[in-house]
């Protein structure tokens, strides 16, 4: 679904005055000009005359009519984007009147070099005449649901038609495309028809197709002939056609009598040598037809989440047909109104020798035992195991402590080292998600978030000795960490304990992983911090010499805490969502040096701290190594501009969303 991007260069922008209100910004590169007129409140398209313009962006304006000669001066135009000029009624803001983009018959057809045309969000009822050489056509979010006339674009590679007929943009009828339309586009590679009230797989699809999206429709049967002769199809999405509705977040449309999607066992026979990814998510499946996947020799990604496969996961043999699958998603296959005492996996899963990623969240099993994960011990390539939202309250993983999984070869130290931003570059703010991806990619990762784990001790992690990343967020952990909990985790580099009730009083917290821990997320652990009269300390920080990233966000930290944070290794600190307004109140001075002990800190986020002013004494006591400082979303009416020069390395300062009234 990749759309061509408007090329951005480092060349100076050229601004052309159109009226007293509008400017066109263009960038020139290699003699080619890319013109950006998006969101300029244009009601009419400016008249351009240039042989150098190859790209024009008119998205998000109020253009309601495209006349025949509009683009006559742009003979070499290749990429034209006119999206979101007449948004469909159900999707637009109420203050805007209804409209439908009118396109004169020869408005586009005369553009002999045009290869990409994006017309999403224009309330079009029909497809306008198109240039013959077009390769990419985007028609999403329109009212195009009955296509009879061929497009006249034999070179078309991508046709994007999703969301032309669904609950937020209704058409009140079944979607229809005449077979002649597909016969006229023999080179089509990518077709998207999701969210369109499609009731059957369209017949006579182009044999050239490599990617087909039929998700979020109302298809009830997949027959042997549905994808016949599509021997190049690599990516197929059939998700959410017979929808499971008991935990739906959007309007939900089950099949008649809540039936499952009917899948013929030979439905994918002609894709046996091509199909790489397949989604059958949300189709109310209770069982998997035997031999459905057995011929799919190249299948690598399979999504079976949001079905009713709880018992098939425990007893099924379909795993044996997935010996080349790398990623298997079984998320949210819980049995309605039932939770299992123990997570059980079918022994046949051990046949999936290529498996790297396994997603088992939302199966509702209270105990993770040795027996639970025993079938996984023979999987030599397994890297990531997700077990979120299972209401797990007891964990025992001895079974894998001497398994192939526990001795999975970790990437080299070069791969396992975070990339340093370097002193010569000013990098924008990085989130914890970014660091998680950077540290945990290709490393062993256990996700135990969103469960019921109340307490941690060393035995909790027995069997995870080689793990590099653990996510324990959104549990009920409420204890003082004293340096004994993670003793078995000799490789642990990333630890997420957000959304718990961790007590950080002990100076021995995390000391058992001090040599390896690089990123620590303690955000949203406000339970103890908001208790009146209770003291808190951050004296554990100096004992973590490898720690580079720390999040203490959204903890309401404001009183009875250590006067200064100390670390020689920490580079990134997220302290947003706390109460620095209390700590730096003019009646107190004990916290004026709070960040000064972080001698290598480069990135500091103190947004959303309810700060009304920023004391000059604080800014001169910030670490001189600081490169990025976020103070957005406070209520600052005063900032000590005269003191900012002490931060000689500062290259990014964010003061947006405050109440500042002047600049120096």
């Amino acid at each position: 679904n990749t759309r061509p991007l408007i090329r951005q260069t480092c060349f100076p922008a050229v601004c052309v005055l159109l009226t007293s209100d509008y400017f066109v910004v263009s960038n020139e590169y290699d003699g080619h000009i890319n013109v950006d007129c998006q969101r300029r409140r244009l009601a009419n398209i400016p008249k351009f005359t240039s042989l150098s313009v190859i790209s024009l962006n008119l998205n998000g304006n109020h253009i309601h009519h495209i006349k025949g000669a509009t683009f006559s001066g742009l003979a070499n135009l290749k990429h034209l984007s006119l999206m979101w000029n007449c948004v469909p009624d159900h999707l637009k803001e109420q203050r805007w009147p209804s409209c439908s983009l009118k396109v004169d018959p020869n408005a586009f057809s005369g553009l002999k070099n045009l290869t990409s045309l994006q017309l999403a969000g224009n309330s079009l009822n029909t497809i306008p005449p198109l240039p013959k050489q077009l390769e990419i056509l985007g028609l999403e979010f329109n009212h195009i649901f009955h296509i009879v006339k061929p497009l006249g674009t034999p070179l078309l590679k991508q046709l994007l038609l999703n969301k032309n007929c669904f609950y937020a943009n209704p058409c009140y009828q079944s979607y229809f495309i005449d077979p002649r339309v597909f016969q006229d586009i023999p080179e089509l590679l990518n077709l998207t028809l999701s969210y369109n009230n499609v009731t059957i797989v369209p017949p006579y699809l182009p044999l050239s197709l490599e990617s087909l999206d039929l998700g979020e429709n109302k298809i009830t049967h997949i027959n042997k002939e549905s994808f016949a002769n599509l021997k190049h199809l690599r990516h197929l999405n059939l998700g959410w056609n017979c929808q499971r509705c008991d935990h739906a977040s959007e309007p939900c449309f089950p099949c008649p009598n809540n039936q499952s999607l009917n899948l013929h066992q030979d439905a994918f026979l002609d894709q046996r040598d091509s199909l790489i990814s397949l989604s059958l998510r949300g189709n109310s499946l209770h069982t998997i037809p035997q031999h459905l996947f057995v011929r799919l020799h190249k299948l690598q990604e399979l999504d079976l989440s949001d079905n009713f496969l709880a018992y098939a996961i425990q007893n099924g043999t379909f795993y044996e047909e997935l010996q080349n699958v790398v990623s298997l998603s079984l998320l949210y296959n819980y049995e309605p109104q039932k939770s299992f005492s123990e997570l059980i996996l079918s022994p046949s899963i051990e046949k999936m020798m290529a498996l790297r990623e396994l997603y088992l969240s939302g199966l509702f099993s209270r105990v993770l035992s040795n027996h639970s994960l025993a079938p996984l011990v023979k999987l030599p390539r397994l890297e990531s195991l997700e077990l979120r939202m299972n209401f797990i309250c007891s964990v025992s993983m001895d079974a894998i402590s001497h398994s192939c999984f526990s001795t999975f070869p970790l990437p080299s130290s070069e791969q396992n080292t975070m990339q340093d931003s370097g002193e010569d570059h000013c990098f924008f703010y990085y989130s914890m998600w970014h660091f998680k991806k950077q540290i945990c990619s290709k490393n062993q990762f256990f996700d135990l978030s969103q469960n019921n784990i109340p307490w941690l001790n060393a035995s909790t992690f027995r069997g995870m000795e080689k793990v590099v990343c653990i996510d324990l967020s959104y549990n009920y952990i409420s204890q003082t960490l004293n340096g004994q909990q993670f003793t078995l985790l000799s490789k642990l580099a990333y630890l997420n304990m957000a959304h718990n009730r961790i007590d950080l009083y002990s100076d021995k917290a995390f000391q058992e992983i001090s040599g390896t821990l690089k990123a620590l997320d303690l955000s949203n652990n406000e339970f103890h911090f908001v208790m009146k009269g209770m003291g808190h300390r951050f004296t554990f920080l100096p004992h973590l010499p490898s720690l580079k990233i720390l999040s203490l966000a959204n903890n309401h930290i404001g009183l009875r805490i250590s006067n200064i944070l100390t670390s020689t290794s920490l580079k990134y600190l997220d302290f947003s969502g706390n109460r620095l307004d209390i700590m730096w109140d003019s009646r107190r001075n004990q916290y004026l040096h709070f960040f000064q002990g972080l001698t290598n800190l480069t990135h500091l986020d103190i947004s959303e701290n309810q700060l009304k002013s920023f004391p000059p004494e604080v800014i001169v006591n910030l670490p001189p190594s600081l490169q990025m400082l976020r103070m957005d979303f406070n209520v600052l009416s005063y900032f000590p501009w005269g003191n900012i020069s002490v931060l000689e390395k500062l290259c990014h300062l964010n003061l947006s969303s405050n109440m500042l009234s002047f600049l120096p």
Side-chain angles (χ1 to χ4, degrees):
N1 298 341
T2 304
R3 298 189 178 98
L5 299 175
I6 302 299
R7 180 182 292 167
Q8 300 296 322
T9 75
C10 296
F11 289 83
V14 179
C15 293
V16 182
L17 182 64
L18 295 176
T19 70
S20 59
D21 297 318
Y22 306 122
F23 288 87
V24 174
V25 179
S26 65
N27 289 316
E28 184 173 351
Y29 183 76
D30 287 344
H32 297 148
I33 296 176
N34 306 291
V35 181
D36 186 355
C37 292
Q38 63 178 325
R39 293 188 293 275
R40 300 285 172 171
R41 294 176 292 164
L42 297 174
N44 298 291
I45 299 175
K47 181 66 177 178
F48 296 100
T49 302
S50 173
L51 296 177
S52 299
V53 173
I54 62 168
S55 177
L56 175 59
N57 186 341
L58 291 162
N59 295 345
N61 286 292
H62 306 297
I63 299 165
H64 297 169
H65 187 191
I66 303 176
K67 299 177 182 178
T70 297
F71 304 112
S72 59
L74 300 175
N76 291 320
L77 192 64
K78 292 183 178 181
H79 310 294
L80 176 59
S81 190
L82 274 157
M83 299 191 293
W84 304 109
N85 277 275
C86 279
V87 180
D89 286 347
H90 286 75
L91 300 171
K92 68 177 178 62
E93 297 181 29
Q94 293 298 319
R95 61 194 179 101
W96 298 113
S98 297
C99 70
S100 178
L101 183 65
K102 180 182 178 182
V103 182
D104 286 357
N106 58 339
F108 302 133
S109 57
L111 295 171
K112 303 301 182 183
N113 290 299
L114 195 69
T115 59
S116 173
L117 178 60
Q118 301 292 346
L119 294 171
N122 284 311
S123 301
L124 292 168
N125 296 309
T126 59
I127 301 174
L130 302 168
K132 185 177 181 179
Q133 75 287 346
L134 199 66
E135 296 181 6
I136 300 172
L137 177 60
L139 292 167
E140 312 97 306
F141 290 100
N142 283 290
H143 297 313
I144 299 169
F145 46 81
H146 193 86
I147 307 174
V148 177
K149 185 179 178 181
L151 305 181
T153 54
L155 303 180
L156 198 66
K157 303 294 191 299
Q158 291 193 48
L159 179 56
L160 314 177
L161 287 165
N162 38 300
K163 296 190 174 179
N164 273 271
C165 179
F166 72 116
Y167 57 84
N169 185 25
C171 70
Y172 308 108
Q173 59 182 277
S174 296
Y175 200 88
F176 175 77
I177 301 181
D178 193 286
R180 293 177 300 167
V181 175
F182 294 128
Q183 293 169 8
D184 187 54
I185 44 178
E187 297 184 14
L188 193 69
L189 301 177
N190 179 18
L191 175 62
T192 65
L193 287 167
S194 59
Y195 291 90
N196 270 329
N197 204 27
V198 175
T199 54
I200 62 169
V201 177
Y204 303 104
L205 291 166
L207 303 183
S208 55
L209 271 183
E210 293 183 358
S211 178
L212 176 60
D213 185 356
L214 289 168
E216 297 275 359
N217 282 297
K218 296 182 180 178
I219 299 170
T220 59
H221 290 74
I222 303 296
N223 304 317
K224 182 178 180 180
E225 298 79 19
S226 294
F227 306 112
N229 299 316
L230 298 182
K231 297 183 179 180
H232 301 286
L233 194 62
R234 294 162 56 86
H235 308 283
L236 176 59
N237 179 15
L238 291 171
W240 298 106
N241 274 280
C242 286
Q243 298 183 3
R244 174 177 184 168
C245 295
D246 58 342
H247 69 298
S249 60
E250 303 287 342
C252 193
F253 306 95
C255 282
N257 301 316
N258 289 312
Q259 292 179 347
S260 304
L261 178 66
N262 191 314
L263 288 164
H264 191 281
Q265 67 174 15
D266 292 328
F268 311 121
L269 181 62
D270 283 351
Q271 290 75 53
R272 56 187 176 273
D273 295 320
S274 63
L275 200 62
I276 292 175
S277 67
L278 172 63
S279 176
L280 294 171
R281 181 181 185 183
N283 280 307
S284 302
L285 300 174
H286 291 265
T287 59
I288 302 295
Q290 192 173 12
H291 307 310
L292 182 66
F293 308 121
V294 71
R295 298 180 183 89
L296 299 179
H297 307 300
K298 293 191 176 181
L299 188 65
Q300 295 181 17
E301 299 178 11
L302 177 61
D303 190 348
L304 293 171
S305 56
D306 295 283
N307 284 292
F308 294 100
L309 294 171
Y311 290 107
I313 290 169
Q314 296 178 7
N315 307 310
T317 59
F318 67 93
Y319 303 102
E320 297 175 4
E321 302 175 14
L322 305 174
Q323 296 188 24
N324 293 314
V325 168
V326 172
S327 176
L328 175 62
S329 179
L330 297 170
L331 302 172
Y332 305 109
N333 270 284
Y334 62 89
E335 189 68 13
Q337 300 182 1
K338 181 177 178 62
S339 66
F340 297 95
S341 60
E342 182 181 359
L343 177 65
I344 301 295
L345 296 175
S346 169
S348 69
I349 198 173
E350 66 184 28
K351 302 291 186 181
M352 297 184 65
M353 301 300 287
L355 191 65
R356 293 182 183 272
E357 301 172 358
L358 179 59
Y359 300 93
L360 296 173
S361 299
L363 301 183
F364 296 179
S365 304
R366 298 186 297 276
V367 174
L368 187 63
S369 70
N370 295 335
H371 180 59
S372 299
L373 299 181
L376 303 181
V377 301
K378 295 182 180 179
L379 302 183
R381 300 182 182 180
L382 191 61
E383 296 173 357
S384 179
L385 178 62
E386 183 181 295
L387 294 160
R388 294 182 300 108
M389 206 174 293
N390 275 301
F391 305 112
I392 293 171
C393 55
S394 176
V395 179
S396 178
M397 304 181 71
D398 292 353
I400 63 172
S401 60
H402 301 291
S403 67
C404 295
F405 182 73
S406 67
T407 57
F408 172 78
L410 295 172
S412 66
S413 58
E414 180 181 353
Q415 290 175 294
N416 194 29
T417 302
M418 288 191 313
Q419 297 175 357
D420 202 330
S421 60
E423 296 183 359
D424 298 329
H425 303 281
C426 185
F427 280 75
F428 192 61
Y429 178 72
Y430 287 145
S431 66
M432 289 301 292
W433 177 88
H434 166 86
F435 293 117
K436 171 185 171 181
K437 184 177 180 181
Q438 194 174 43
I439 297 171
C440 302
S441 179
K442 304 298 182 182
N443 279 321
Q444 279 190 20
F445 178 31
F446 275 93
D447 190 340
L448 290 165
S449 62
Q450 295 176 297
N451 283 293
N452 288 346
I453 300 172
W455 193 265
L456 301 177
N457 52 49
S459 63
T460 304
F461 304 104
R462 188 170 290 121
M464 303 187 204
E465 285 81 356
K466 302 293 184 179
V467 74
V468 174
C469 301
I470 290 183
D471 190 340
L472 291 165
S473 61
Y474 291 96
N475 276 284
Y476 291 92
I477 303 168
S478 181
Q479 67 185 108
T480 300
L481 302 180
N482 58 9
Q484 301 297 318
Q485 286 74 27
F486 305 102
T487 53
L488 298 178
L489 304 179
S490 60
K491 303 286 186 181
L492 193 64
Y494 170 88
L495 177 60
N496 185 357
M497 301 193 74
H499 295 275
N500 281 286
R501 296 180 172 187
I502 306 300
D503 184 353
L504 298 172
Y505 194 78
S506 173
D507 60 358
K508 296 181 179 179
F510 309 109
Q511 70 172 10
E512 68 275 37
I513 47 176
S514 62
T516 59
L517 188 63
K518 293 182 172 67
L520 176 61
D521 191 344
L522 293 170
S523 61
N524 298 94
N525 274 275
E526 69 275 14
F527 181 79
H528 292 286
F529 288 107
V530 297
M531 286 186 175
K532 292 185 177 180
M534 187 171 181
H536 311 279
R537 302 191 303 176
F538 295 107
T539 52
F540 65 91
L541 277 178
H543 307 302
L544 303 178
S546 298
L547 189 67
K548 295 182 182 295
I549 304 110
L550 174 64
S551 177
L552 293 170
N554 302 316
N555 280 314
H556 301 282
I557 298 170
L559 283 176
R560 297 184 178 90
I561 55 174
S562 304
N563 291 347
I564 188 169
L565 301 179
T566 304
S567 173
T568 58
S569 62
L570 197 66
K571 290 191 172 185
Y572 302 85
L573 174 61
D574 186 350
F575 203 76
S576 60
N578 286 296
R579 295 301 306 272
L580 283 172
D581 63 316
I582 297 175
M583 296 170 63
W584 291 343
D585 186 276
S586 59
R587 293 166 293 179
R588 299 183 178 90
N589 61 11
Q590 68 265 43
Y591 298 116
L592 296 180
H593 299 264
F594 188 63
F595 299 112
Q596 191 175 38
L598 305 175
T599 54
N600 278 302
L601 195 69
T602 59
H603 289 60
L604 175 61
D605 184 352
I606 53 174
S607 59
E608 299 182 83
N609 267 272
Q610 303 184 40
L611 286 167
K612 297 181 177 65
S613 64
F614 195 45
E617 303 92 333
V618 170
I619 201 168
V620 298
N621 288 317
L622 290 175
S625 55
L626 211 58
Q627 297 176 15
M628 193 284 296
L629 177 60
R630 281 191 62 177
M631 299 186 65
D632 47 313
F633 291 98
N634 282 289
V635 285
L636 289 171
S637 58
Y638 167 77
F639 185 80
W641 297 105
N643 301 85
I644 195 70
S645 59
V646 300
L647 299 176
E648 296 180 353
K649 295 184 178 181
L650 191 69
C651 55
H652 181 87
L653 174 63
N654 188 345
L655 290 167
S656 61
S657 301
N658 278 289
M659 301 179 68
L660 297 171
S661 57
F662 72 94
L663 292 173

